[in-house]
């Protein structure tokens, strides 16, 4: 009905850029939105973020970043303040990385976008996370991300496949990005692109990869009475410095809570780390004591030295 104009898209008073995907599960949208936000800042733009707040307890309210510019202080604030716990993990991640960028959450993207622009009139570009299928809000540019490990979701929509909509939806994209392109051969990348061109012949095309940037080392808290002590005892290490050290030669149990855990697993394999066991937890996992117990038991079983 949107395609034939029976239902009209609603414009908001700002340029809008949508980042989305066709398949269920993670394709790497969150890291890319982070890259895109930073790119906008480098261009001198004033971006604002809009997302649904998937699996967050709060679905319709403003996300207020803490004013502190210190990462450790912001992390402490998020762990201590009940008001932040109602937001999903992606919202907290964006706020930690971009404390001055307004980020509004809600299922009604039009209402949320208008609220953001009313309170932050300086914003001149809205970045909409996971809104490719949310046709109600008009967009100036559509970015579609495909996962190189499962680009077309079996060619069928749910429940018989993993597509959110038919592959014909690719024709709405202005740019299509093949993420994790480094994890498949060149011949496979060319095959995927030729399939895309059958539906979206004039679309801009790019192949991108995700690489590790840093390792965060957590040390045991001296005092168990303060919940946030362990946060203050973290150490950021450049990944390549870490890779050259003896620490990277340890044996590991690896785990994640991602929509597409195989991408993370492949990345670890590419870095030739000694991963004795890989445990995929549910997407947007909230790590309970039972999960910690499971990790410790697995580490002991496979004689791993670190996680």
């Amino acid at each position: 009905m949107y395609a034939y104009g029976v239902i009209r898209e609603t414009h908001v008073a700002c340029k809008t850029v949508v980042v989305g995907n066709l398949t269920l599960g993670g394709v790497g949208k969150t890291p890319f939105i982070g890259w895109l936000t930073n790119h906008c800042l480098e261009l001198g733009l004033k971006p604002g973020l809009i997302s649904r707040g998937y699996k967050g307890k709060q679905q319709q309210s403003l996300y207020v970043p803490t004013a502190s510019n210190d990462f450790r202080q912001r992390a402490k604030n998020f762990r201590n303040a009940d008001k932040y716990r109602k937001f999903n993990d992606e919202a907290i991640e964006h706020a930690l990385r971009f404390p001055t960028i307004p980020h509004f959450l809600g299922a009604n993207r039009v209402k949320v976008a208008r609220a953001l622009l009313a309170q932050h009139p300086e914003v001149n570009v809205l970045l909409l996370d996971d809104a490719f299928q949310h046709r109600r809000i008009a967009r100036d540019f559509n970015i579609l991300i495909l996962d190189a490990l499962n680009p077309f979701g079996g060619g069928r929509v749910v429940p018989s496949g993993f597509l959110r909509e038919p592959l014909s939806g690719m024709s709405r994209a202005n740019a299509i990005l093949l993420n994790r392109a480094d994890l498949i051969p060149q011949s496979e990348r060319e095959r995927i692109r030729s399939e895309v061109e059958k539906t979206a012949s004039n679309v801009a095309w790019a192949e991108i990869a995700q690489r590790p940037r840093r390792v965060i080392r957590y040390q045991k808290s001296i005092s168990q009475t303060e919940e946030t002590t362990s946060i203050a005892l973290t150490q950021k290490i450049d990944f390549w410095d870490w890779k050259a050290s003896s620490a990277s030669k340890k044996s590991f149990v690896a785990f994640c809570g991602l929509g597409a855990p195989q991408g993370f697993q492949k990345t670890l394999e590419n870095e030739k780390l000694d991963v004795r066991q890989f445990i995929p937890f549910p997407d947007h996992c909230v790590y309970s004591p039972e999960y910690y117990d499971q990790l410790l038991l697995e580490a002991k079983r496979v004689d791993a030295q670190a996680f």
Side-chain angles (χ1 to χ4, degrees), residues 144-279:
L144 183 66
I145 302 180
L146 303 180
D147 182 358
L149 300 178
N150 184 24
F152 305 124
R156 295 178 179 272
V157 296
V158 291
S160 58
F162 292 94
L163 288 175
R164 297 178 172 192
E165 62 171 306
L167 292 174
S168 58
M170 289 190 292
S171 62
R172 301 198 310 276
N174 301 101
I176 293 181
L177 312 182
L178 184 66
N179 195 19
R180 306 188 181 105
D182 58 325
L183 301 182
I184 60 174
Q186 176 68 29
S187 59
E188 181 66 9
R189 298 201 294 269
E190 292 172 356
R191 184 193 70 79
I192 293 170
R193 184 173 184 179
S194 65
E195 285 295 317
V196 167
E197 289 177 343
K198 292 177 184 178
T199 302
S201 57
N202 297 319
V203 70
W205 174 266
E207 296 172 3
I208 60 177
Q210 293 174 211
R211 300 296 303 276
R213 285 184 64 185
R214 64 177 62 90
V215 172
I216 301 178
R217 181 185 180 195
Y218 289 88
Q219 296 176 336
K220 283 188 177 180
S221 168
I222 298 171
S223 169
Q224 299 300 328
T225 58
E226 169 125 18
E227 182 187 359
T228 59
T229 306
S230 58
I231 287 281
L233 293 175
T234 61
Q235 178 187 6
K236 286 186 179 181
I237 306 167
D238 178 83
F239 179 81
W240 308 109
D241 290 341
W242 177 83
K243 190 77 185 297
S245 72
S246 60
S248 68
K249 309 302 186 289
K250 292 183 177 181
S251 54
F252 297 92
V253 167
F255 65 97
C256 63
L258 301 171
Q262 66 272 20
F264 180 53
Q265 186 175 17
K266 283 273 189 182
T267 297
L268 299 176
E269 290 175 1
N270 276 10
E271 297 301 336
K272 295 182 169 51
L273 300 176
D274 180 13
V275 177
R276 302 278 177 90
Q277 179 75 329
F278 183 84
I279 303 175

Side-chain angles (χ1 to χ4, degrees), residues 7-294:
I7 301 177
R8 295 185 180 275
E9 295 176 337
T10 302
H11 291 264
V12 294
C14 187
K15 293 291 184 182
T16 56
V17 177
V18 162
V19 177
N21 59 308
L22 286 181
T23 55
L24 298 178
V27 298
K29 290 192 302 296
T30 301
F32 180 75
I33 281 282
W35 179 91
L36 188 60
T37 302
N38 194 60
H39 186 59
C40 287
L41 293 172
E42 290 175 346
L43 292 173
L45 299 172
K46 297 186 182 299
L49 295 173
I50 299 290
S51 64
R52 193 186 189 286
Y54 178 67
K55 286 205 172 182
K57 295 178 182 177
Q58 178 60 273
Q59 293 289 318
Q60 296 182 343
S61 185
L62 159 68
Y63 187 82
V64 186
T66 174
S68 170
N69 285 318
D70 178 72
F71 181 90
R72 290 178 178 176
Q73 185 59 47
R74 295 201 303 275
K76 284 183 180 180
N77 289 345
F78 284 123
R79 290 194 60 176
N80 287 338
D82 287 335
K83 65 180 180 179
Y84 292 125
R85 292 175 184 165
K86 59 192 175 186
F87 298 105
N88 76 337
D89 49 356
E90 291 167 354
I92 293 175
E93 181 179 342
H94 286 313
L96 285 169
R97 186 173 178 188
F98 303 106
T100 62
I101 303 298
H103 184 180
F104 281 43
L105 289 80
N108 187 332
R109 307 301 208 287
V110 174
K111 179 181 177 181
V112 170
R114 286 173 171 167
L116 187 151
L117 293 172
Q119 295 186 42
H120 295 273
E122 75 280 3
V123 168
N124 55 19
V125 58
L126 285 176
L127 307 180
L128 279 68
D129 186 9
D130 198 13
F132 193 75
Q133 285 80 27
H134 190 89
R135 299 289 298 274
R136 184 179 174 191
I137 189 167
R139 65 284 316 273
D140 295 286
F141 201 81
N142 261 324
I143 299 174
L144 183 66
I145 302 180
L146 303 180
D147 182 358
L149 300 178
N150 184 24
F152 305 124
R156 295 178 179 272
V157 296
V158 291
S160 58
F162 292 94
L163 288 175
R164 297 178 172 192
E165 62 171 306
L167 292 174
S168 58
M170 289 190 292
S171 62
R172 301 198 310 276
N174 301 101
I176 293 181
L177 312 182
L178 184 66
N179 195 19
R180 306 188 181 105
D182 58 325
L183 301 182
I184 60 174
Q186 176 68 29
S187 59
E188 181 66 9
R189 298 201 294 269
E190 292 172 356
R191 184 193 70 79
I192 293 170
R193 184 173 184 179
S194 65
E195 285 295 317
V196 167
E197 289 177 343
K198 292 177 184 178
T199 302
S201 57
N202 297 319
V203 70
W205 174 266
E207 296 172 3
I208 60 177
Q210 293 174 211
R211 300 296 303 276
R213 285 184 64 185
R214 64 177 62 90
V215 172
I216 301 178
R217 181 185 180 195
Y218 289 88
Q219 296 176 336
K220 283 188 177 180
S221 168
I222 298 171
S223 169
Q224 299 300 328
T225 58
E226 169 125 18
E227 182 187 359
T228 59
T229 306
S230 58
I231 287 281
L233 293 175
T234 61
Q235 178 187 6
K236 286 186 179 181
I237 306 167
D238 178 83
F239 179 81
W240 308 109
D241 290 341
W242 177 83
K243 190 77 185 297
S245 72
S246 60
S248 68
K249 309 302 186 289
K250 292 183 177 181
S251 54
F252 297 92
V253 167
F255 65 97
C256 63
L258 301 171
Q262 66 272 20
F264 180 53
Q265 186 175 17
K266 283 273 189 182
T267 297
L268 299 176
E269 290 175 1
N270 276 10
E271 297 301 336
K272 295 182 169 51
L273 300 176
D274 180 13
V275 177
R276 302 278 177 90
Q277 179 75 329
F278 183 84
I279 303 175
F281 289 113
D283 191 18
H284 296 273
C285 178
V286 177
Y287 293 97
S288 65
E290 290 76 17
Y291 288 149
Y292 288 119
D293 290 342
Q294 181 182 347

